[in-house]
Amino acid sequence: MKEKMPEIEFVGYHDPQPAFLSKIGEDVPPFDSVEEMLRETKPDLFFVGSPNNFHLEHIKAGLAAGVRVFTEKPVVISEQETLELAALLKEHGPDRVMVGLVLRYSKHMSDLRAVLGKLGPVVSLEANEHIGPYHGAFFMRDWRRLSKLSGGFMLEKCCHDLDIYNMMTGSRPVKVASFGGKKSYLPEYAPASETKEDGIMHTKESVWNGVDDAFRSDSDIIDHQTAILQYETGASMAFHTNLNVPDEHRRFCVMGARGMIEGDFVRGYLKATLRDGSIIADHDYNDLDEAKKAAHYGADDLMVADVAAFLRGEAIELPVGIVDALEAGLVAIALDRARVSGEMVDMSETWAAFDAFGLRGST
């Protein structure tokens, strides 16, 4: 952000257990509470990067202080919190909160949006998010391993994906079902010799409320989940996630009445084919350097550029908004409810309660 907007000044932070301060500068003043920081600094932008279970509390503080908020995803961790925030957004306006659903900013999605209309109505989709053991083990060791802090894996990690499939269909799921559990990160599958220093299971560092052993932790999140969703438009999707995939990928295939689009964020391509076999888009994104690939396939850089333009008044809107994020979150929450109950979940009542706040028409 500092590179894109050199005029930015970091005026304060609140963190009871500071980490990675070098990213904003060791000389940035600390504060004992979010409220004190907002009161004393009166910032133009308040960034909420706390663990998920604190998001609502911190967003509330930002809205009460009258500042613009940028929150990490997922925005909140339950349906109750979603409705509570929806009421606040109705009062303060949804344009007061931006959200880091970074996949919407990716080249994959901007190129997909350019040709999506040529497919006719979207009929069906299949998609996945398959994560390498180095990353899956991180989830099993980090605070994200506990649903009470993260909201669960589907919400914490796959809300990006659920959001872009809402975008592709131009609608929301009405019925969902889901199956999954934990079958890989169990004691019997722990590496025979693993050390914190050289093992792939400790590649990613946990800096708060973490544990050392991914295979014997108290995690209650899943390590694999398969979901089926039916959308308001009649489109259907099959979605699969797994946290123990050595050759990871994040693929999507969108089938329309007149053609299809297939792509993969990890493997770096997007191809659109009409039903007569003609190819109308064929993109290779593998020319990115490794640092940008690691930063959400180059999308972090694109998001920051768009946010900078928006804050300067050079752009009138962003590719994704807080209402999109809350809707994707509600889908993830419903999928976990279906997984736990073993029953299909009808989301009609959920959407009726959410739509009662009238946020969709005001963004």
Side-chain angles (χ1 to χ4, degrees):
M1 197 72 182
K2 185 71 171 176
E3 291 173 5
K4 300 295 183 186
M5 294 187 76
E7 66 269 31
I8 279 181
E9 177 188 359
F10 298 108
V11 295
Y13 75 89
H14 167 68
D15 192 337
Q17 186 179 319
F20 306 121
L21 284 183
S22 60
K23 292 181 181 292
I24 60 171
E26 301 284 353
D27 58 342
V28 175
F31 288 87
D32 291 333
S33 70
V34 167
E35 290 77 11
E36 178 193 11
M37 178 181 67
L38 294 172
R39 184 173 62 251
E40 295 297 322
T41 63
K42 299 179 174 60
D44 298 301
L45 182 66
F46 168 43
F47 181 81
V48 176
S50 49
N52 304 346
N53 60 307
F54 297 110
H55 284 187
L56 180 59
E57 171 191 342
H58 294 162
I59 294 169
K60 275 185 181 179
L63 292 173
V67 304
R68 172 167 274 162
V69 179
F70 184 104
T71 180
E72 261 294 5
K73 60 78 202 165
V75 185
V76 290
I77 63 170
S78 69
E79 185 168 330
Q80 179 182 350
E81 286 192 355
T82 303
L83 298 179
E84 186 175 347
L85 181 55
L88 289 169
L89 293 174
K90 181 179 181 181
E91 176 185 353
H92 295 277
D95 59 337
R96 286 276 304 283
V97 184
M98 297 180 286
V99 64
L101 277 179
V102 69
L103 288 191
R104 284 269 196 132
Y105 295 84
S106 66
K107 282 291 293 176
H108 297 72
M109 288 302 102
S110 61
D111 290 336
L112 178 142
R113 285 191 291 266
V115 295
L116 184 62
K118 298 180 181 180
L119 269 59
V122 173
V123 175
S124 60
L125 308 92
E126 61 178 37
N128 64 47
E129 182 175 10
H130 291 165
I131 293 169
Y134 77 95
H135 203 170
F138 165 77
F139 280 101
M140 293 297 163
R141 293 186 295 102
D142 190 51
W143 58 264
R144 293 165 174 85
R145 74 191 186 278
L146 301 173
S147 296
K148 66 181 181 181
L149 304 180
S150 65
F153 181 81
M154 182 64 74
L155 178 65
E156 156 62 22
K157 191 70 173 71
C158 301
C159 60
H160 284 299
D161 307 83
L162 297 172
D163 169 62
I164 62 174
Y165 304 127
N166 284 356
M167 178 200 75
M168 291 179 193
T169 63
S171 66
R172 306 172 302 193
V174 288
K175 294 180 180 179
V176 302
S178 179
F179 310 91
K182 185 161 68 168
K183 293 180 69 68
S184 295
Y185 290 94
L186 299 174
E188 55 264 40
Y189 301 119
S193 59
E194 180 75 9
T195 67
K196 189 170 184 177
E197 290 72 29
D198 62 12
I200 62 169
M201 301 304 171
H202 294 89
T203 300
K204 289 177 68 69
E205 180 185 5
S206 176
V207 297
W208 178 71
N209 201 14
V211 296
D212 284 337
D213 192 335
F215 295 86
R216 299 174 180 85
S217 78
D218 56 351
S219 65
D220 62 8
I221 61 170
I222 56 88
D223 63 20
H224 70 284
Q225 191 164 350
T226 302
I228 53 174
L229 305 88
Q230 182 181 22
Y231 289 83
E232 293 163 331
T233 60
S236 62
M237 180 171 75
F239 180 77
H240 177 210
T241 186
N242 190 297
L243 284 69
N244 189 41
V245 181
D247 189 6
E248 57 187 348
H249 51 112
R250 197 172 192 174
R251 176 182 174 272
F252 53 88
C253 190
V254 191
M255 279 71 79
R258 297 189 179 94
M260 63 179 281
I261 302 175
E262 182 179 10
D264 192 311
F265 289 102
V266 175
R267 297 176 183 184
Y269 71 89
L270 180 104
K271 182 179 179 181
T273 309
L274 296 182
R275 63 185 176 190
D276 64 2
S278 58
I279 297 171
I280 58 172
D282 194 358
H283 301 282
D284 185 335
Y285 308 109
N286 286 298
D287 58 347
L288 292 173
D289 62 43
E290 290 304 313
K292 286 190 176 181
K293 279 185 181 179
H296 288 106
Y297 332 108
D300 283 9
D301 202 48
L302 296 169
M303 180 179 74
V304 170
D306 279 3
V307 169
F310 181 74
L311 293 174
R312 288 181 175 134
E314 299 165 359
I316 60 172
E317 63 180 1
L318 295 170
V320 65
I322 189 66
V323 178
D324 301 308
L326 292 176
E327 290 178 341
L330 286 171
V331 177
I333 292 164
L335 284 170
D336 265 343
R337 190 187 314 149
R339 177 181 60 82
V340 172
S341 69
E343 299 177 350
M344 183 172 67
V345 170
D346 187 321
M347 296 194 67
S348 301
E349 291 186 7
T350 296
W351 296 133
F354 184 72
D355 291 342
F357 296 98
L359 300 178
R360 176 52 70 184
S362 59
T363 53

